[in-house]
Amino acid sequence: MTFDLAEARQILEGTPASLRATLGDLSNPWLDADEGEGTWTPRQALAHLTYVEQNDWIGRIETILERGTDEVLGPVDREAGFERYAGWPVGRVLERFAELRTANLGLLDALAISGDDLRREGRHAVFGVVTLEQLLATWAVHDLNHQSQIVKTLAKRYRDAIGPWRAFANVVDLP
């Protein structure tokens, strides 16, 4: 599949509403459910998404556009959002995420990224040389990955409660 920035932008633009629809009115037992040790709750996944929205995507895009491979893209603190948004009501975190995403999409649009820009290279500390296109595709897939994680975690709360219908609800058995 060929990357299309306008299509990726559709995912990025829709994520806040999707998260709001999924998490906005849920009680703490839903928001604090996990799949066991070493897994994230829906609340933690939302905090992570919000934190990286504030601290990572646009900065990485600008680094590639302005400095190319001369500067290594900094590491992402995957769990920093847990502490940053600890104690915040989920509605407030959802609102913050939506505000940040709207602002970041405005910044992305202002960059007027061209096809040539998509081929520009940056340097990742682990992956080595990466392209702006790969980073932008990852931004959209990152959203989808965590939305999937959230839905899977929510579904697994009722894994046993669904009884024989489990045969038709494969989401509850996904790793």
Side-chain angles (χ1 to χ4, degrees):
M1 172 78 198
T2 304
F3 176 77
D4 183 301
L5 182 55
E7 289 178 359
R9 195 183 185 293
Q10 292 171 359
I11 296 296
L12 296 170
E13 189 172 9
T15 299
S18 178
L19 291 171
R20 192 175 300 113
T22 303
L23 300 175
D25 293 323
L26 293 183
S27 61
N28 288 336
W30 286 109
L31 296 170
D32 297 327
D34 64 33
E35 297 180 59
E37 188 175 332
T39 65
W40 290 1
T41 68
R43 185 186 312 273
Q44 289 172 317
L46 173 62
H48 164 76
L49 283 163
T50 306
Y51 184 85
V52 298
E53 191 66 27
Q54 181 172 349
N55 295 287
D56 292 301
W57 296 112
I58 293 298
R60 288 168 171 257
I61 292 166
E62 290 172 340
T63 296
I64 290 174
L65 289 173
E66 295 169 11
R67 296 184 267 313
T69 59
D70 292 339
E71 182 177 322
V72 175
L73 299 174
V76 172
D77 187 339
R78 297 180 66 236
E79 296 181 356
F82 299 177
E83 184 176 328
R84 170 67 179 95
Y85 296 103
W88 285 38
V90 72
R92 186 171 169 212
V93 182
L94 287 164
E95 187 61 35
R96 181 66 178 144
F97 177 74
E99 291 167 358
L100 292 165
R101 178 56 58 89
T102 297
N104 283 346
L105 290 176
L107 292 169
L108 180 66
D109 292 345
L111 292 171
I113 293 171
S114 69
D116 289 337
D117 290 328
L118 292 175
R119 290 184 285 283
R120 301 215 17 210
E121 295 179 336
R123 182 165 311 281
H124 187 276
V126 175
F127 306 131
V129 175
V130 296
T131 65
L132 181 58
E133 177 179 78
Q134 291 168 332
L135 176 66
L136 291 167
T138 300
W139 191 7
V141 170
H142 181 262
D143 278 14
L144 295 169
N145 180 67
H146 286 297
Q147 288 180 77
S148 172
Q149 173 190 27
I150 288 166
V151 168
K152 182 176 61 127
T153 301
L154 294 172
K156 285 186 175 188
R157 275 195 76 216
Y158 282 176
R159 175 189 296 137
D160 297 329
I162 61 176
W165 282 281
R166 186 170 172 177
F168 300 109
N170 67 339
V171 68
V172 300
D173 291 312
L174 292 173

